[in-house]
Amino acid sequence: MTRKRIALVAHDARKRDLIAWIGAHRGALAGHAFFATGTTGAKVRESHPELDVTPLKSGPLGGDQQIGAMIAEGRIDLLVFFVDPMTAQPHDVDVKALTRLATLYNIPFACNEATADMIVSSPLFAGGYTPRPADFGGYEGRRV
Ligand SMILES: O=C(CO)COP(=O)(O)O
């Protein structure tokens, strides 16, 4: 198994769903390294102490930005971010920045359970798949 670096984020209304999702996939998730926004990380650690979870800052205090920076540095292989589409977030710009970077750097990114289910049950997940590097569509600063 290739050890993946998995970012976990859930808005408040989705935290229970993320914990349940982790429980449902504990076999596939065992042994990987997890990085999570603060409150999400604390809850994941509480319910799944067997996982190696590094908590970052809480989302509204910069945690989404920290994960975005890790993506830009090539330090995250998968983002599982259970988004609440029904509640306005004070840090909406940070959420947008994070999802933009996940898209830009072409990492697998699940914003709901169905997508997360497909990713962790894919043979590509088990098989050490490496996505092609982003080429930024001709952006002049791409080598910088
Ligand atoms: O707000 C979040 C993501 O945008 C999540 O942050 P917490 O995990 O600290 O609640």
Side-chain angles (χ1 to χ4, degrees):
M1 177 197 78
T2 314
R3 192 166 201 246
K4 291 197 164 43
R5 300 157 298 179
I6 301 174
L8 298 172
V9 189
H11 286 146
D12 288 349
R14 308 299 325 278
K15 284 182 170 66
R16 273 204 322 209
D17 298 322
L18 180 66
I19 301 298
W21 178 81
I22 292 169
H25 294 283
R26 65 168 73 81
L29 297 174
H32 296 290
F34 296 88
F35 300 87
T37 49
T39 319
T40 302
K43 287 188 185 298
V44 172
R45 271 180 152 176
E46 204 179 285
S47 52
H48 295 284
E50 75 282 7
L51 296 180
D52 172 14
V53 181
T54 303
L56 305 167
K57 285 188 178 269
S58 182
L61 299 180
D64 297 67
Q65 297 265 1
Q66 287 180 291
I67 292 176
M70 292 177 76
I71 291 171
E73 291 166 358
R75 294 166 55 208
I76 294 292
D77 303 305
L78 164 64
L79 171 61
V80 177
F81 183 175
F82 282 13
V83 174
D84 173 5
M86 300 300 280
T87 307
Q89 303 292 330
H91 56 305
D92 185 54
V93 290
D94 297 30
V95 174
K96 280 203 177 105
L98 172 55
T99 58
R100 176 178 179 274
L101 288 172
T103 305
L104 179 61
Y105 282 90
N106 193 30
I107 62 161
F109 163 37
C111 63
N112 60 24
E113 287 99 323
T115 311
D117 286 347
M118 294 238 182
I119 290 174
V120 296
S121 56
S122 164
L124 297 178
F125 181 78
Y129 166 73
T130 308
R132 70 165 179 78
D135 78 355
F136 306 136
Y139 170 61
E140 288 300 320
R142 65 190 174 279
R143 295 191 190 284
V144 176

